[in-house]
Amino acid sequence: MTSLLEPALIALAAGQHGLFTTRQALRAGMSPAALVHAVRGKELLHPARGLYAVSALVDPTSPVTWHQARAFGATLLWDDATLSGSSAVLARGVRVWGVDLTTVHVLRPLDRSVRVGCFRVRQWTGQPVTSTSLGPAVPLATALAAHAREHGVVQGVVSADHALHERLVTPAELEEAVEVVRGWRHGSRAMATLAFADGRRESVGESRCAIALMMAGFTVEPQVEIRDRTGHLVGRVDFLIPGTNVIVEFDGRLKYDTGDPSVLWAEKRREDELRRLGYVVVRITWADLERPGAVTAKVRSALAAA
């Protein structure tokens, strides 16, 4: 089947995350009718008025990459667009979990909030703007505070932990951003995110596990080195309950997926050694995280038996 798209337009889109605007299409020699036919023929996607994506250059089945592509599209549509919230978080490559990424969050100097296709456009009120690979965006700390307010504490902590771990934001910057929104609607979510965030955690599972335990009143120390009586390092564990011999490990199973027997054997030896030193090891799985109370029940049972 012959393509309806001009080669020059495809080449342009390839350098723009797979997207182009109606204005760019007209400049490349495509008529409005040709654009309509290309959409009907599924050569193009039409995420918003004035914006198109070349189907062969984008992946709508990947929520993150599709969101990032459309976020870049906002800067193609509007010269005064600034990414905010989750969109600004993703623009820095910071992980986002448990969030519907259908909507791209944009600030513009408008009098009121509007929706334009996949874009939710709110009023820009003079916030600082920084550059990212996807275009102008609010500072990461500001974006993280907005992300937590919009989506919740657990989602906020997952992203804040990753940003802190990668040293893309400092605790002081995050604290300053949260202080600004303290009295705003859902500002308490951002405050709780700040209280729970810890850059020593290394995965979504570890962040979620820690939040479940801390919300239940447990104190958890992440990434603790356990040594034997001679000082030899036995291993670094995900969490230790201070003042106890209870270790909590999140079992994401990624390290076992290769099926390498040596990996399985090393992990077994490590856990056996921890038990010989008198530690009780509690393993938390993804399934546990999805069952309310399962994480805390396992830890309470281990503490009672220790």
Side-chain angles (χ1 to χ4, degrees):
M1 177 177 166
T2 303
S3 174
L4 298 172
L5 304 179
E6 292 290 335
L9 190 58
I10 296 176
L12 176 66
Q16 298 181 160
H17 294 267
L19 283 79
F20 62 84
T21 65
T22 301
R23 180 178 298 179
Q24 290 174 329
L26 296 176
R27 287 174 180 169
M30 285 199 70
S31 67
L35 290 172
V36 171
H37 285 305
V39 171
R40 288 176 178 170
K42 300 185 179 179
E43 271 198 275
L44 291 179
L45 302 175
H46 192 25
R49 182 177 180 182
L51 187 66
Y52 296 87
V54 179
S55 299
L57 298 178
V58 296
D59 182 9
T61 66
S62 170
V64 170
T65 57
W66 182 224
H67 186 101
Q68 290 171 325
R70 289 175 297 140
F72 183 83
T75 66
L76 295 178
L77 283 176
W78 305 298
D79 291 338
D80 56 6
T82 297
L83 300 176
S84 66
S86 306
S87 301
V89 171
L90 286 169
R92 271 67 172 220
V94 174
R95 72 168 63 105
V96 168
W97 171 87
V99 173
D100 182 356
L101 296 178
T102 303
T103 300
V104 177
H105 299 273
V106 179
L107 300 179
R108 294 185 64 207
L110 305 177
D111 293 333
R112 59 188 177 86
S113 298
V114 296
R115 289 200 70 99
V116 181
C118 65
F119 301 107
R120 183 173 184 179
V121 185
R122 291 189 172 99
Q123 184 183 29
W124 179 75
T125 56
Q127 297 94 328
V129 178
T130 61
S131 296
T132 75
S133 61
L134 300 181
V138 298
L140 180 54
T142 301
L144 289 167
H147 175 65
R149 288 178 54 237
E150 181 83 19
H151 298 291
V153 176
V154 179
Q155 291 83 347
V157 172
V158 166
S159 295
D161 280 358
H162 187 219
L164 289 167
H165 183 76
E166 296 298 322
R167 299 182 180 179
L168 299 174
V169 70
T170 67
E173 289 170 339
L174 189 58
E175 183 176 1
E176 183 179 356
V178 168
E179 185 61 33
V180 170
V181 303
R182 174 187 290 270
W184 296 10
R185 184 171 182 265
H186 296 316
S188 57
R189 293 176 177 176
M191 292 172 61
T193 293
L194 177 65
F196 287 136
D198 191 320
R200 290 174 291 176
R201 301 172 198 140
E202 299 178 340
S203 69
V204 172
E206 288 181 28
S207 295
R208 292 183 61 196
C209 183
I211 296 165
L213 291 171
M214 293 170 72
M215 283 187 172
F218 291 104
T219 299
V220 291
E221 184 71 18
Q223 302 303 322
V224 177
E225 292 187 347
I226 304 296
R227 298 180 180 274
D228 63 17
R229 293 172 181 83
T230 68
H232 172 71
L233 178 65
V234 175
R236 188 179 60 159
V237 300
D238 292 340
F239 303 104
L240 179 68
I241 308 294
T244 77
N245 63 342
V246 174
I247 288 170
V248 181
E249 294 267 71
F250 174 70
D251 189 0
R253 302 206 63 80
L254 289 179
K255 58 189 173 185
Y256 311 130
D257 286 348
T258 63
D260 186 345
S262 64
V263 174
L264 298 172
W265 178 245
E267 182 61 22
K268 182 181 184 304
R269 287 185 61 187
R270 171 180 176 274
E271 185 162 325
D272 288 345
E273 182 62 22
L274 290 171
R275 296 185 190 281
R276 277 195 292 271
L277 292 173
Y279 289 97
V280 177
V281 180
V282 179
R283 289 201 169 273
I284 303 300
T285 66
W286 285 112
D288 293 327
L289 292 174
E290 300 304 326
R291 294 198 304 271
V295 174
T296 54
K298 277 190 168 184
V299 172
R300 286 196 175 99
S301 178
L303 288 169

